[in-house]
Amino acid sequence: MRADLIQIGVVGRPHGVRGLVHVHSYAANAAALEAYKVLVDEKGREWSLRWRGADGVAELRDAQGKPLADRTAAQALVNTRLFVPRDVLPEPEEEEFYHADLIGMEAREGDCSLGQVVMVHDYGGGASLELTGGVLVPFTRACVPEIDLKGRVVTIVRPAEVSGEEGRGVGTAKAAGPAA
């Protein structure tokens, strides 16, 4: 898969019998998916999307502009990840990062490598970075004081609950999924 692609959504279950699907958008504004001229899946197939009502129901069209024929065609696409080229997305605001930029970065605490960032979790109460081995670190200014995107390194200061030290303050850094 191309390195410049950022996941913007995923195809969910079919909706009805006419080839419509539920699509979960990772954009700040789900309507943005319709504005992107081309969405690409992990197999390199090109799609376009048109929202068809509430609850994330969409019509997907292939590169030739043909909509999915029926429920069977829609079912075949369940869990298909949809991507856009990085250059069509807006630049993140200061102290915002695309999850894709953080995943794979080396996590360091002083001179010690803690592994890599394998996932960014955000369930609404604040983001956290999952490191190799399942260690979770709150994605705050206090716990992640420095992010070197070019060097692909995040500096970690583990909180007292993890490191056994006295507590530290909470910062304001946040993760941003693909924004539109």
Side-chain angles (χ1 to χ4, degrees), residues 20-37:
L20 298 178
V21 293
H22 288 268
V23 174
H24 177 73
S25 170
Y26 297 143
N29 178 1
L33 270 70
E34 192 170 7
Y36 296 123
K37 301 292 184 220

mmCIF file of all heavy atoms in Angstrom, residues 20-37:
data_model
loop_
_atom_site.group_PDB
_atom_site.id
_atom_site.type_symbol
_atom_site.label_atom_id
_atom_site.label_comp_id
_atom_site.label_asym_id
_atom_site.label_seq_id
_atom_site.Cartn_x
_atom_site.Cartn_y
_atom_site.Cartn_z
ATOM 1 N N LEU A 20 -26.489 -0.199 -0.574
ATOM 2 C CA LEU A 20 -26.029 0.852 0.316
ATOM 3 C C LEU A 20 -25.267 0.232 1.493
ATOM 4 O O LEU A 20 -25.498 -0.916 1.858
ATOM 5 C CB LEU A 20 -27.200 1.682 0.833
ATOM 6 C CG LEU A 20 -28.012 2.437 -0.218
ATOM 7 C CD1 LEU A 20 -29.165 3.181 0.433
ATOM 8 C CD2 LEU A 20 -27.135 3.387 -1.017
ATOM 9 N N VAL A 21 -24.358 1.010 2.069
ATOM 10 C CA VAL A 21 -23.547 0.534 3.190
ATOM 11 C C VAL A 21 -23.492 1.604 4.273
ATOM 12 O O VAL A 21 -23.684 2.787 4.005
ATOM 13 C CB VAL A 21 -22.102 0.185 2.747
ATOM 14 C CG1 VAL A 21 -22.076 -1.000 1.819
ATOM 15 C CG2 VAL A 21 -21.418 1.383 2.113
ATOM 16 N N HIS A 22 -23.202 1.167 5.481
ATOM 17 C CA HIS A 22 -22.880 2.099 6.556
ATOM 18 C C HIS A 22 -21.384 2.378 6.446
ATOM 19 O O HIS A 22 -20.597 1.459 6.226
ATOM 20 C CB HIS A 22 -23.192 1.494 7.927
ATOM 21 C CG HIS A 22 -24.659 1.389 8.198
ATOM 22 N ND1 HIS A 22 -25.366 2.376 8.842
ATOM 23 C CD2 HIS A 22 -25.555 0.423 7.890
ATOM 24 C CE1 HIS A 22 -26.627 2.016 8.933
ATOM 25 N NE2 HIS A 22 -26.776 0.841 8.359
ATOM 26 N N VAL A 23 -20.996 3.636 6.584
ATOM 27 C CA VAL A 23 -19.585 4.006 6.549
ATOM 28 C C VAL A 23 -19.275 4.782 7.819
ATOM 29 O O VAL A 23 -19.967 5.748 8.149
ATOM 30 C CB VAL A 23 -19.235 4.850 5.298
ATOM 31 C CG1 VAL A 23 -17.795 5.342 5.366
ATOM 32 C CG2 VAL A 23 -19.466 4.043 4.028
ATOM 33 N N HIS A 24 -18.242 4.344 8.542
ATOM 34 C CA HIS A 24 -17.784 5.066 9.724
ATOM 35 C C HIS A 24 -16.668 6.010 9.284
ATOM 36 O O HIS A 24 -15.641 5.562 8.775
ATOM 37 C CB HIS A 24 -17.278 4.093 10.792
ATOM 38 C CG HIS A 24 -16.739 4.793 11.995
ATOM 39 N ND1 HIS A 24 -17.543 5.417 12.912
ATOM 40 C CD2 HIS A 24 -15.478 5.007 12.413
ATOM 41 C CE1 HIS A 24 -16.803 5.963 13.845
ATOM 42 N NE2 HIS A 24 -15.542 5.735 13.570
ATOM 43 N N SER A 25 -16.901 7.306 9.442
ATOM 44 C CA SER A 25 -15.935 8.320 9.027
ATOM 45 C C SER A 25 -14.983 8.644 10.159
ATOM 46 O O SER A 25 -15.392 8.779 11.309
ATOM 47 C CB SER A 25 -16.687 9.591 8.620
ATOM 48 O OG SER A 25 -15.775 10.651 8.439
ATOM 49 N N TYR A 26 -13.694 8.814 9.838
ATOM 50 C CA TYR A 26 -12.705 9.264 10.804
ATOM 51 C C TYR A 26 -12.412 10.753 10.648
ATOM 52 O O TYR A 26 -11.566 11.292 11.336
ATOM 53 C CB TYR A 26 -11.407 8.466 10.666
ATOM 54 C CG TYR A 26 -11.571 6.999 10.965
ATOM 55 C CD1 TYR A 26 -10.876 6.053 10.236
ATOM 56 C CD2 TYR A 26 -12.417 6.550 11.965
ATOM 57 C CE1 TYR A 26 -11.020 4.705 10.513
ATOM 58 C CE2 TYR A 26 -12.567 5.207 12.235
ATOM 59 C CZ TYR A 26 -11.868 4.285 11.512
ATOM 60 O OH TYR A 26 -12.012 2.955 11.778
ATOM 61 N N ALA A 27 -13.102 11.405 9.739
ATOM 62 C CA ALA A 27 -12.916 12.844 9.539
ATOM 63 C C ALA A 27 -13.675 13.608 10.616
ATOM 64 O O ALA A 27 -14.694 13.136 11.127
ATOM 65 C CB ALA A 27 -13.413 13.258 8.158
ATOM 66 N N ALA A 28 -13.196 14.785 10.963
ATOM 67 C CA ALA A 28 -13.887 15.628 11.942
ATOM 68 C C ALA A 28 -15.294 15.951 11.445
ATOM 69 O O ALA A 28 -16.227 16.064 12.227
ATOM 70 C CB ALA A 28 -13.095 16.907 12.187
ATOM 71 N N ASN A 29 -15.461 16.071 10.137
ATOM 72 C CA ASN A 29 -16.747 16.323 9.517
ATOM 73 C C ASN A 29 -16.987 15.224 8.494
ATOM 74 O O ASN A 29 -16.328 15.190 7.443
ATOM 75 C CB ASN A 29 -16.751 17.701 8.849
ATOM 76 C CG ASN A 29 -18.041 18.002 8.141
ATOM 77 O OD1 ASN A 29 -18.981 17.205 8.137
ATOM 78 N ND2 ASN A 29 -18.096 19.169 7.516
ATOM 79 N N ALA A 30 -17.911 14.318 8.769
ATOM 80 C CA ALA A 30 -18.154 13.166 7.893
ATOM 81 C C ALA A 30 -18.496 13.581 6.461
ATOM 82 O O ALA A 30 -18.182 12.853 5.514
ATOM 83 C CB ALA A 30 -19.266 12.294 8.467
ATOM 84 N N ALA A 31 -19.095 14.743 6.279
ATOM 85 C CA ALA A 31 -19.449 15.201 4.937
ATOM 86 C C ALA A 31 -18.223 15.323 4.037
ATOM 87 O O ALA A 31 -18.334 15.264 2.809
ATOM 88 C CB ALA A 31 -20.185 16.532 5.012
ATOM 89 N N ALA A 32 -17.053 15.458 4.627
ATOM 90 C CA ALA A 32 -15.821 15.597 3.847
ATOM 91 C C ALA A 32 -15.553 14.383 2.966
ATOM 92 O O ALA A 32 -14.960 14.514 1.899
ATOM 93 C CB ALA A 32 -14.636 15.848 4.762
ATOM 94 N N LEU A 33 -15.990 13.219 3.392
ATOM 95 C CA LEU A 33 -15.738 12.018 2.589
ATOM 96 C C LEU A 33 -16.374 12.124 1.212
ATOM 97 O O LEU A 33 -15.832 11.637 0.232
ATOM 98 C CB LEU A 33 -16.245 10.754 3.296
ATOM 99 C CG LEU A 33 -15.230 10.088 4.201
ATOM 100 C CD1 LEU A 33 -14.952 10.901 5.433
ATOM 101 C CD2 LEU A 33 -15.686 8.702 4.569
ATOM 102 N N GLU A 34 -17.517 12.770 1.153
ATOM 103 C CA GLU A 34 -18.199 12.958 -0.126
ATOM 104 C C GLU A 34 -17.435 13.946 -1.007
ATOM 105 O O GLU A 34 -17.430 13.825 -2.231
ATOM 106 C CB GLU A 34 -19.623 13.448 0.113
ATOM 107 C CG GLU A 34 -20.500 13.396 -1.098
ATOM 108 C CD GLU A 34 -21.962 13.647 -0.773
ATOM 109 O OE1 GLU A 34 -22.296 13.987 0.378
ATOM 110 O OE2 GLU A 34 -22.774 13.500 -1.702
ATOM 111 N N ALA A 35 -16.751 14.906 -0.399
ATOM 112 C CA ALA A 35 -16.022 15.921 -1.151
ATOM 113 C C ALA A 35 -14.746 15.377 -1.784
ATOM 114 O O ALA A 35 -14.280 15.901 -2.797
ATOM 115 C CB ALA A 35 -15.688 17.106 -0.246
ATOM 116 N N TYR A 36 -14.166 14.336 -1.180
ATOM 117 C CA TYR A 36 -12.957 13.749 -1.772
ATOM 118 C C TYR A 36 -13.347 13.047 -3.061
ATOM 119 O O TYR A 36 -14.259 12.231 -3.089
ATOM 120 C CB TYR A 36 -12.284 12.777 -0.807
ATOM 121 C CG TYR A 36 -11.784 13.446 0.450
ATOM 122 C CD1 TYR A 36 -12.206 13.024 1.697
ATOM 123 C CD2 TYR A 36 -10.900 14.517 0.390
ATOM 124 C CE1 TYR A 36 -11.750 13.644 2.859
ATOM 125 C CE2 TYR A 36 -10.445 15.137 1.543
ATOM 126 C CZ TYR A 36 -10.883 14.695 2.770
ATOM 127 O OH TYR A 36 -10.443 15.311 3.900
ATOM 128 N N LYS A 37 -12.675 13.372 -4.127
ATOM 129 C CA LYS A 37 -13.019 12.808 -5.430
ATOM 130 C C LYS A 37 -12.753 11.305 -5.487
ATOM 131 O O LYS A 37 -13.486 10.560 -6.113
ATOM 132 C CB LYS A 37 -12.236 13.504 -6.548
ATOM 133 C CG LYS A 37 -12.481 14.990 -6.617
ATOM 134 C CD LYS A 37 -13.888 15.294 -7.041
ATOM 135 C CE LYS A 37 -14.063 16.790 -7.204
ATOM 136 N NZ LYS A 37 -15.312 17.266 -6.721
#
